[in-house]
């Protein structure tokens, strides 16, 4: 590096910007930090010069030093875990789960197949799990970092019958509408009727939920619905306040117009 090169770092809770001689060298789209705040993993645009349009990269940064940067072939990341040793694991919109060590060397890359959405992948320190579409099926998938073992289960729609005009009709409780929780014994799903469940342990074996587990997911759903209702009420209140404000402004404009119209000369 030439002696007149000047590197400046802007690091906040949600962004990392690296300047070189007063131009962007790296501009982050997202950042994730290790629990000990030693490492920062980021996705963004890297430029080698002021005239460079930049390439999309991921990089690991620590102590004002870029440890590695790697050009990427994906557009988005659903989630990232950065560990205290600088290793990372993340899920891409190419439906791949990727892990790198602190030097950028690949630890594993696994094709999961579950369609990429921000809510699709959940990462923990020991494993990742996925719930979403794979082709036309809703699937639950689980991957262990240590064993590199992946299993997937197609989650069924549940048929039920009801009476309409005295005739028996059939419909389904759909898997893509089921609520989903990871609990200490495994993965629990609750269908729309709030009675029907499916549960799988961490080996992929179907098990029966306990009464406590059923209560846990039922309480989860009730709290979620309560928050949705509060948000709906807040949005409606803001809408009514906005309409009232606009009406008051319109009345003020009309009042000003008529006062001028009938003002005595």
């Amino acid at each position: 590096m030439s002696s007149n090169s000047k590197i400046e770092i802007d690091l906040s809770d949600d962004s990392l910007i690296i300047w070189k001689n007063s131009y962007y060298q790296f501009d982050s789209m997202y950042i994730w930090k290790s629990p000990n705040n030693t490492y920062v993993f980021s996705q963004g645009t890297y430029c080698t010069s002021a005239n460079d349009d930049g390439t999309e990269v991921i990089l690991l940064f620590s102590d004002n030093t870029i440890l590695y940067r790697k050009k990427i072939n994906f557009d988005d990341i659903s989630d990232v875990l950065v560990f205290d040793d600088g290793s990372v694991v993340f899920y891409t919109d190419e439906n791949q789960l990727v892990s790198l060590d602190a030097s950028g060397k690949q630890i594993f890359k696994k094709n999961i197949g579950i369609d990429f959405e921000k809510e699709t992948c959940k990462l923990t320190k020991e494993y990742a799990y996925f719930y979403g579409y794979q082709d036309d099926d809703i699937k639950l998938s689980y991957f262990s970092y240590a064993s590199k073992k992946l299993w997937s289960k197609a989650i069924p729609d549940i048929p039920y019958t009801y009476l309409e005009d005295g005739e028996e009709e059939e419909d389904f409780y759909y898997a893509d509408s089921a609520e989903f929780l990871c609990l200490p014994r495994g993965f629990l799903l609750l269908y729309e009727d709030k009675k029907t469940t499916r549960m799988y342990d961490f080996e992929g074996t179907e098990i029966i939920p306990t009464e406590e587990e059923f209560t846990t997911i039922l309480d989860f759903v009730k709290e979620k619905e309560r928050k949705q209702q509060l948000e709906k009420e807040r949005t409606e209140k803001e809408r009514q306040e906005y309409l009232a404000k606009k009406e008051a402004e319109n009345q003020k404009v009309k009042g000003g117009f008529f006062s001028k119209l009938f003002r005595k000369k």
Side-chain angles (χ1 to χ4, degrees):
M1 184 181 295
S2 63
S3 59
N4 61 353
S5 293
K6 185 179 180 182
I7 301 294
E8 297 179 21
I9 308 295
D10 288 339
L11 176 61
S12 70
D13 289 337
D14 56 7
S15 69
L16 169 63
I17 299 174
I18 301 175
W19 305 77
K20 182 179 179 181
N21 295 336
S22 300
Y23 70 82
Y24 283 124
Q25 185 177 36
F26 178 76
D27 188 10
S28 67
M29 295 171 60
Y30 316 98
I31 71 166
W32 296 266
K33 296 181 180 181
S34 61
N36 60 9
N37 288 319
T38 300
Y39 297 95
V40 176
F41 182 79
S42 185
Q43 177 186 346
T45 304
Y46 187 89
C47 300
T48 58
S49 70
N51 297 321
D52 185 4
D53 291 336
T55 56
E56 286 300 307
V57 302
I58 52 175
L59 64 75
L60 190 68
F61 172 87
S62 180
D63 194 25
N64 289 349
T65 302
I66 297 176
L67 301 180
Y68 65 78
R69 66 177 186 272
K70 298 172 75 75
K71 186 176 180 180
I72 59 176
N73 60 356
F74 53 83
D75 295 322
D76 205 356
I77 298 176
S78 71
D79 201 2
V80 175
L81 273 186
V82 186
F83 298 95
D84 283 341
D85 64 357
S87 60
V88 299
V89 60
F90 56 90
Y91 194 55
T92 79
D93 59 4
E94 296 293 319
N95 302 335
Q96 294 179 328
L97 186 69
V98 181
S99 182
L100 306 172
D101 68 15
S103 69
K105 181 180 178 181
Q106 183 175 294
I107 301 172
F108 63 75
K109 179 191 286 185
K110 192 70 175 179
N111 290 313
I112 304 298
I114 301 289
D115 288 353
F116 176 87
E117 292 181 9
K118 289 295 185 182
E119 300 78 21
T120 294
C121 174
K122 302 296 181 185
L123 304 175
T124 76
K125 292 181 179 179
E126 290 85 26
Y127 56 85
Y129 58 93
F130 311 81
Y131 188 72
Y133 275 100
Q134 184 174 349
D135 299 324
D136 294 328
D137 295 324
I138 293 292
K139 287 195 174 180
L140 166 65
S141 296
Y142 170 93
F143 181 79
S144 166
Y145 308 150
S147 68
K148 311 298 188 295
K149 179 182 178 182
L150 171 71
W151 57 257
S152 295
K153 295 287 182 180
I155 306 301
D157 298 329
I158 305 297
Y160 70 95
T161 57
Y162 64 96
L163 290 176
E164 184 172 322
D165 298 329
E167 302 241 350
E168 193 173 83
E169 302 286 345
E170 185 176 81
D171 204 343
F172 293 87
Y173 299 123
Y174 292 101
D176 63 354
S177 299
E179 296 292 344
F180 175 77
L181 271 186
C182 179
L183 298 173
R185 287 205 311 142
F187 306 101
L188 178 57
L189 296 105
L190 180 67
Y191 287 83
E192 291 174 273
D193 64 344
K194 298 181 183 177
K195 297 178 182 178
T196 306
T197 60
R198 287 290 186 277
M199 189 169 186
Y200 301 88
D201 67 16
F202 293 103
E203 298 297 321
T205 302
E206 187 168 354
I207 57 177
I208 304 299
T210 64
E211 183 176 346
E212 182 180 359
E213 288 166 336
F214 178 77
T215 300
T216 297
I217 196 168
L218 198 59
D219 289 344
F220 168 79
V221 171
K222 289 178 180 177
E223 179 63 13
K224 182 178 178 180
E225 290 175 345
R226 186 187 72 83
K227 290 180 178 179
Q228 288 173 341
Q229 182 60 33
L230 288 175
E231 178 62 20
K232 183 179 178 181
E233 291 172 359
R234 184 190 65 79
T235 302
E236 178 60 21
K237 181 181 178 181
E238 289 180 352
R239 189 181 77 87
Q240 293 296 335
E241 289 175 348
Y242 172 79
L243 292 175
K245 182 179 178 181
K246 293 298 292 183
E247 179 63 21
E249 290 174 353
N250 290 338
Q251 292 298 328
K252 185 177 180 181
V253 170
K254 289 179 181 179
F257 171 77
F258 284 113
S259 66
K260 290 180 180 179
L261 184 65
F262 294 107
R263 186 178 299 158
K264 291 182 181 179
K265 296 183 179 179

